[in-house]
Amino acid sequence: MNLKLEDIPGMRITVMGLGLHGGGAAAARFFASLGARVLVTDLRSSKELSASLTGLKDLEIEYRLGEHRLKDFSEADLVIKNPAVPPGSEYLKAAHHVSSDIAVFLGLSGREVFAITGTKGKSTTASAVHHVLSRIKSETDLGGNITISPLNFLLRDMKDGSLKEKNAPVVLELSSWQLADCLPREVLKPRYSMITNIMHDHQNRYDTFEDYVADKALIFSNQDSNDVSVFNYDDPYGRKYAGESRARVLYFSGTLLPAALEGGFLKGTRGFLRREGQEVEILPETLAVPGAHNRLNLLAAAVMLASSGVPVETIKSGLADFRGIPHRLEEVARIEGVLYVNDSAATIPEAAAAAIASFNAPVRLIAGGTDKELDFTGFSDALRRVAGLYLLKGNATPRFETAAEEAGIRHRGPFESLEEALLQVQEEARPGDVVLLSPGCASFGMFRNEFHRGDLFRDYVRRLAGTGRL
């Protein structure tokens, strides 16, 4: 369905999955505000969804909670699905047209789009791009998988039922699920696209790893020679994608790029940009965010920014003072000489390993949670560097126990709660240690999501800093 603004009043819209991150709620608000007849259906209860429901109480919306009914889908003009809903759902099969909040935004907004995906690093990279672009155009927006639906921007920019022209770009962090949900496909055509890396993730959702790889490729599949695609030269999938893209291809790399390629590369801890045969420093030696992986994320951001015409000095100074984002190596507090770091967004073993490697000090790692059927091969090498391992209860525990045994280290737990794990860590941590929440797997079961997990960690640590006890 090629949705137009004038079609929305009176349309029957079913929002499948209200959610807690804003996508479903934003879609419900957007369509209800424009005069559509909106029904929200979610398997969760009103108690579980209370925060989202409170934010919509001023609108005329019908709710179907605790269940789904086929007729709510078959009788709808358009179904807006939550990315967490599998595409094979019997309810979605009953719908005439299915789309998403991202697709609706892309189809109706004429703004220039910077779109970023990848297994890890996409949130930090997208936030860094937004950080620098905002210095040039203060109305630049950041949304997508970073928990802000771009439909919020669209509704804000509308006046008297029509869309105001807006010159500022929008930066979108997109998950593989959000990319797959962009229907019709032709709406997904960003001016600038990037894939940060490809690692094994979400294998509990995908039939094969190649299906996951294919969904990531959707980000550039409609681009043409007027557009730009940025890929990771160090990643075999990045080089594969580069051969498939019809856009102008640029690379980023942790080492010197081959002479024939344009893009960014690291020399030691400094980043350089190569274009039209000239090389110039674009990433300074000193950054405000820790970690070698974050240095590569910021280099990727620099390449994308430079391709859009942002001056090199603006990029260099902007990235130098970028301080990172919540739940990604977020320094929460230093208590009696112990640094507490929230890296709750590390939901795969590779991300946890990168976090451990970001510190020279002894690391006391809090990890564990829900198994996404990922490969833990080699994670024992990372665990050899930790001073202590504290496991949260979850079905991924056996994987961590095996890795700890291979590493020759003892572990504590599994603990029934994050608070219990922190109490044990507090007893054992010494001045100079880093207490790192970097779970290496998903959060479901003990927490609503990885953000809830990180928020609790932050709250507990700040309570500890204020009172000396949890």
Side-chain angles (χ1 to χ4, degrees), residues 1-3 102-103 106-109 179 181-190 218-219 221-223 227 246:
M1 172 184 286
N2 292 311
L3 187 67
I102 302 293
L106 292 173
L108 296 177
S109 172
L179 290 167
D181 288 344
C182 273
L183 300 170
R185 284 279 180 254
E186 56 265 28
V187 302
L188 182 59
K189 188 183 183 298
L218 293 171
I219 198 169
S221 61
N222 288 328
Q223 287 188 297
D227 305 318
R246 295 186 298 273

Side-chain angles (χ1 to χ4, degrees), residues 99-114:
S99 192
S100 66
D101 65 318
I102 302 293
V104 171
F105 171 80
L106 292 173
L108 296 177
S109 172
R111 294 173 64 181
E112 187 174 67
V113 173
F114 291 70

Side-chain angles (χ1 to χ4, degrees), residues 422-437:
L422 273 169
L423 285 170
Q424 185 67 49
V425 174
Q426 184 188 11
E427 284 185 16
E428 300 180 3
R430 299 292 178 263
D433 287 357
V434 174
V435 174
L436 174 65
L437 173 68

Side-chain angles (χ1 to χ4, degrees), residues 18-76:
L18 183 60
L20 301 168
H21 293 309
R29 173 168 291 280
F30 177 79
F31 284 104
S33 297
L34 297 183
R37 291 179 288 165
V38 177
L39 181 144
V40 171
T41 177
D42 198 300
L43 294 177
R44 284 171 286 191
S45 67
S46 58
K47 181 179 180 180
E48 293 172 296
L49 297 168
S50 59
S52 296
L53 292 170
T54 299
L56 297 172
K57 64 182 180 181
D58 60 320
L59 295 166
E60 189 173 332
I61 296 173
E62 183 181 355
Y63 294 96
R64 185 97 59 219
L65 304 181
E67 63 172 331
H68 293 317
R69 297 181 186 176
L70 279 174
K71 73 179 186 67
D72 294 333
F73 296 84
S74 62
E75 296 178 359

Side-chain angles (χ1 to χ4, degrees), residues 448-464:
R448 293 194 297 270
N449 48 58
E450 67 265 34
F451 309 113
H452 178 226
R453 177 171 61 191
D455 288 342
L456 281 177
F457 178 81
R458 189 190 298 118
D459 291 344
Y460 288 145
V461 170
R462 288 175 178 170
R463 190 191 310 169
L464 181 62

Side-chain angles (χ1 to χ4, degrees), residues 126-166:
S127 298
V129 170
H130 175 258
H131 177 75
V132 176
L133 286 176
S134 297
R135 293 188 165 193
I136 302 169
K137 295 181 179 179
S138 60
E139 291 184 311
T140 301
D141 286 311
L142 171 65
N145 193 55
I146 206 156
T147 75
I148 303 171
S149 172
L151 283 183
N152 293 321
F153 315 147
L154 201 57
L155 192 59
R156 180 200 63 203
D157 295 341
M158 294 187 66
K159 186 178 182 181
D160 302 325
S162 62
L163 189 60
K164 296 184 297 182
E165 290 291 327
K166 188 161 185 180

